[in-house]
Amino acid sequence: MCASSSRASAMLVMIMVSMGSSFGFTIYPSSSSSGKRGTALFGGGKEDEEMGTFELASWYAVEAFGRVFGGSKKTDVALESVDRGDIDVSRQPLSLDETLQRIQLDNDRSYFLSGEIDEMIYDEQCTFADPFVSFDGRQRFVDNLANLGSFITDYSAKTINYDVSENGKQIQTKVMVKLELNLPWKPVLAWPWGVTYIIDEATFLITDHIESWDVSPSEGIAQIFRRPTTQIKR
């Protein structure tokens, strides 16, 4: 593979890692920082497992890369500048209804792309799972989001589904994401991205943030090397 292709591949994985995302294939059990293990959301065979091992190694490598090169552009997101109504984002939610409202506001701002995340609605040891890895720790996820901006020049997100269930203790979302990468030919990656949020009814905090992507590994790779076949419309 030529040097430019290697850099492009690394950037693609970096985008996925920073968003805490995946190509949409198997989430294999993977050790988290606290010894927990991720949950398999999709079935897969040996070939997928081998691919998962390679991508898992890439996950940690590019996360470290993001800390070094993305950290210089990291800034604290001033949620206070966003119209939040009567919500005090400097504290934890006081009710389940408030948590649900704040999750909705985060999604309205496309927090996974903008980096503008209301971190106080997450438990400090919240589990973040995606097809690469599962880890515990709110700050690590917030830092990964903060590193994302250097790699994306434009984006759009359109909600496909937003379902609240289990008496408000679970939310499942599906969003059509399009993002333009900071590469000379300006490739656009586009596919549905989903998140399941699990909320603790005693603390009103999110304890699990589980992601999935509706795209095959081959298609995800192909999108980065070709000129865009779709446009980003806000």
Side-chain angles (χ1 to χ4, degrees):
M1 181 178 293
C2 65
S4 60
S5 296
S6 298
R7 287 194 296 269
S9 296
M11 180 170 286
L12 176 60
V13 179
M14 182 61 204
I15 292 296
M16 302 303 180
V17 170
S18 298
M19 296 172 67
S21 60
S22 72
F23 289 122
F25 49 94
T26 307
I27 297 180
Y28 288 95
S30 53
S31 297
S32 71
S33 58
S34 68
K36 289 184 180 179
R37 299 182 68 82
T39 303
L41 299 184
F42 303 96
K46 182 177 180 180
E47 181 179 351
D48 290 327
E49 185 172 4
E50 291 172 352
M51 182 181 296
T53 301
F54 172 77
E55 298 298 349
L56 180 61
S58 300
W59 198 104
Y60 287 111
V62 295
E63 184 184 41
F65 180 87
R67 289 197 188 108
V68 174
F69 295 98
S72 61
K73 296 188 176 182
K74 187 187 302 181
T75 57
D76 292 331
V77 177
L79 289 179
E80 294 80 0
S81 66
V82 181
D83 184 8
R84 309 288 293 191
D86 297 326
I87 296 176
D88 181 359
V89 297
S90 67
R91 59 158 175 79
Q92 296 180 356
L94 302 178
S95 67
L96 183 58
D97 285 344
E98 182 182 339
T99 302
L100 296 177
Q101 183 180 0
R102 289 167 71 168
I103 292 174
Q104 178 70 72
L105 288 170
D106 258 6
N107 276 273
D108 289 345
R109 281 194 324 280
S110 302
Y111 71 97
F112 47 90
L113 292 168
S114 69
E116 297 178 0
I117 183 172
D118 184 352
E119 61 184 89
M120 295 303 292
I121 61 177
Y122 292 87
D123 188 280
E124 287 187 0
Q125 292 303 312
C126 178
T127 296
F128 295 89
D130 64 52
F132 288 116
V133 73
S134 172
F135 64 85
D136 296 344
R138 177 181 69 196
Q139 192 57 51
R140 182 176 175 183
F141 182 71
V142 171
D143 289 344
N144 283 347
L145 288 182
N147 293 333
L148 181 61
S150 301
F151 300 93
I152 295 180
T153 52
D154 197 8
Y155 68 84
S156 69
K158 181 180 180 181
T159 300
I160 300 172
N161 182 60
Y162 195 98
D163 181 57
V164 181
S165 59
E166 300 296 327
N167 296 318
K169 293 179 292 185
Q170 179 172 302
I171 298 177
Q172 290 182 298
T173 68
K174 185 78 71 175
V175 179
M176 183 63 205
V177 172
K178 296 181 181 181
L179 54 92
E180 181 184 83
L181 299 187
N182 188 17
L183 289 171
W185 59 95
K186 300 299 182 183
V188 174
L189 311 185
W191 50 69
W193 173 75
V195 176
T196 298
Y197 307 84
I198 307 297
I199 304 168
D200 187 303
E201 60 182 334
T203 64
F204 314 125
L205 297 176
I206 301 167
T207 58
D208 296 88
H209 182 281
I210 305 167
E211 304 183 29
S212 63
W213 285 81
D214 295 349
V215 67
S216 68
S218 58
E219 174 60 19
I221 293 290
Q223 288 187 20
I224 196 174
F225 292 113
R226 67 186 181 215
R227 292 190 179 277
T229 58
T230 185
Q231 294 182 335
I232 296 178
K233 297 179 180 180
R234 292 184 179 273

